Amino acid sequence: MGRKRVLAVIHTVTYGKRLLDVLSLLEADFRLQVLFTAPPHAFGDDVPRFLARLGSAVLPWEEAVRMRFDLALAAGPRGVERIDAPLITLPHGANYLKRVTGGTNPGVAGLRRGDLLPGGRLPAAVGVPHHAELRHLARECPEALPLAHVLGDPVHDRITASLSLRDGYRRALGLAEGQKLVVAVSTWGAQSSFGRFDALLPRLLGELPASSHRTALLVHPNVWAGHGAYQVRSWLARCTKLGMGIVPPEADWRSVIVAADWIIGDHGSVTLYGTLTGAPMLLAASPEGEINPLSPAAALAARAPALSPTHPLTEQLDYATTSYRYEDYADIRSRITSEPGQFNRNMRRLMYKLLGIGELAHEPMIVPLPEPPPLTSWADGRGVMSA
């Protein structure tokens, strides 16, 4: 039986995790064969292990670029112009939050011409999460505008579909009745909150009563890839010994932020997705120079309270709680996607249109997030990837 071949281009673990949500829409279709490849990337060292855990069929990059596929999916632009297939490009995080001010290709990451026209080649489709991005395309890259499809955001949809399961996630993490969970979140880069963890971590460990508070640390996979897992675990060894859950890069972090009582974050995607949960926030970093001023990250930086280096952490968490109003963040949440709950339907329709075959005769469901492993398993390194 001849099958259509779909290629998933996995540059980094972050890109791979985003594409897993997309590939789930092709499940149970015996007309399709999904294959994976990993182009060279500065943060791609963990990708072979990530793909091995999936049990996926992996093509060497130089072999993949010599083959023809019926569809290709990528959440990053590097090298994808070499792929012989109708290509759908997608963002790998929430909206388009960061701007690049140096180098030869400045602009909003993900919306620069080099991102939208990799290698100068037009893809078959450019997926964006919100109608607001169309104005940017019309101004900065009009060639891409006819190819743009407002698809929505799969992470937004799965988090919102899972909010009612919060109590179950908290039990799975091992939180006792009445215990509070503080989740510290960091994107990557010199201006991320990870760059300030040497000041924050002692406060999380020393100022929060262990009997009433648990802590989890969620660090961007690029930090793990850039420094190496050994080095990151070495830096955080004292934290794990004292019971902090260090969420590994391959794990599904989304149920952890759903379970959080507070989020201490920065200008990255995970912090923005945290606005969906109703957890009060403190921002440990929000560097104006790295934030797209038109993005919801800029609005969040102007709205959420900033972590103070001088006031007790418990007092700041209490202040974040008493001053927090869920409705105050409605405009920020609305900028994550203009198609809430519709990503699966929109994305599946686009993929099958490019494949030239009919969709399977069932509604694409939004599957709630799986329960996380206990925090103690992440404290001793036993946590595993969720699907």
Side-chain angles (χ1 to χ4, degrees):
M1 173 183 176
R3 290 186 171 90
K4 299 272 189 177
R5 295 193 299 191
V6 178
L7 183 68
V9 184
I10 312 295
H11 297 81
T12 70
V13 170
T14 300
Y15 297 2
K17 291 167 75 172
R18 174 55 63 108
L19 291 184
L20 287 185
D21 277 329
V22 176
L23 293 171
S24 69
L25 302 174
L26 305 178
E27 289 177 351
D29 193 334
F30 286 85
R31 299 171 297 174
L32 305 177
Q33 168 73 56
V34 177
L35 301 159
F36 294 76
T37 191
H41 195 282
F43 298 116
D45 287 353
D46 291 338
V47 170
R49 185 166 64 97
F50 174 81
L51 295 176
R53 289 191 176 192
L54 290 179
S56 53
V58 181
L59 296 171
W61 174 244
E62 292 302 328
E63 180 180 344
V65 298
R66 293 195 298 267
M67 297 173 62
R68 168 72 185 171
F69 300 91
D70 299 288
L71 180 67
L73 306 167
R78 192 164 305 178
V80 297
E81 72 278 3
R82 299 179 64 192
I83 296 294
D84 185 6
L87 173 69
I88 303 175
T89 62
L90 298 163
H92 60 264
N95 203 265
Y96 301 92
L97 308 183
K98 297 182 183 181
R99 61 178 173 179
V100 179
T101 55
T104 59
N105 191 22
V108 176
L111 291 177
R112 297 168 295 180
R113 290 185 64 84
D115 301 326
L116 297 164
L117 308 177
R121 172 190 164 194
L122 287 169
V126 176
V128 298
H130 201 285
H131 284 93
E133 273 66 67
L134 299 180
R135 292 193 295 272
H136 184 100
L137 294 183
R139 182 175 64 252
E140 302 293 338
C141 191
E143 306 98 308
L145 185 60
L147 310 174
H149 297 259
V150 181
L151 300 175
D153 186 300
V155 174
H156 169 283
D157 292 353
R158 290 198 72 186
I159 287 176
T160 54
S162 304
L163 294 176
S164 63
L165 302 178
R166 180 174 185 269
D167 289 345
Y169 297 151
R170 291 173 62 81
R171 286 191 296 269
L173 288 167
L175 298 172
E177 188 73 25
Q179 273 190 323
K180 302 295 186 180
L181 176 62
V182 181
V183 179
V185 171
S186 178
T187 186
W188 66 284
Q191 300 299 313
S192 69
S193 59
F194 187 79
R196 305 182 184 187
F197 273 5
D198 57 345
L200 176 60
L201 294 177
R203 304 187 70 181
L204 291 172
L205 295 170
E207 296 186 36
L208 301 180
S211 60
S212 58
H213 291 72
R214 300 289 298 279
T215 55
L217 195 59
L218 224 171
V219 178
H220 196 286
N222 283 4
V223 175
W224 293 83
H227 294 288
Y230 167 81
Q231 184 62 74
V232 174
R233 292 196 182 279
S234 177
W235 281 332
L236 302 176
R238 176 68 175 166
C239 300
T240 58
K241 290 174 183 175
L242 293 176
M244 181 181 287
I246 311 299
V247 182
E250 69 274 7
D252 195 328
W253 50 266
R254 296 171 292 188
S255 57
V256 180
I257 64 164
V258 171
D261 293 286
W262 294 281
I263 296 170
I264 300 177
D266 57 15
H267 56 301
S269 290
V270 176
T271 304
L272 182 61
Y273 285 129
T275 63
L276 301 171
T277 71
M281 287 187 175
L282 293 170
L283 294 184
S286 53
E288 183 177 357
E290 284 195 1
I291 299 175
N292 172 12
L294 301 179
S295 75
L300 182 60
R303 190 80 45 86
L307 184 68
S308 167
T310 57
H311 288 76
L313 184 56
T314 51
E315 290 184 10
Q316 295 188 66
L317 294 176
D318 289 343
Y319 174 81
T321 299
T322 57
S323 63
Y324 177 79
R325 300 289 182 274
Y326 184 76
E327 58 271 18
D328 290 346
Y329 293 78
D331 60 324
I332 297 171
R333 291 189 294 270
S334 70
R335 278 290 285 114
I336 297 175
T337 172
S338 57
E339 294 283 307
Q342 297 302 308
F343 177 85
N344 284 1
R345 178 178 295 177
N346 294 338
M347 185 69 201
R348 194 178 75 166
R349 181 184 300 123
L350 175 60
M351 288 191 291
Y352 277 93
K353 178 182 178 181
L354 292 177
L355 284 166
I357 56 177
E359 300 179 49
L360 295 182
H362 65 83
E363 191 72 18
M365 304 298 294
I366 303 173
V367 179
L369 299 167
E371 289 187 349
L375 283 171
T376 52
S377 73
W378 283 329
D380 60 21
R382 291 184 289 111
V384 296
M385 178 174 61
S386 299

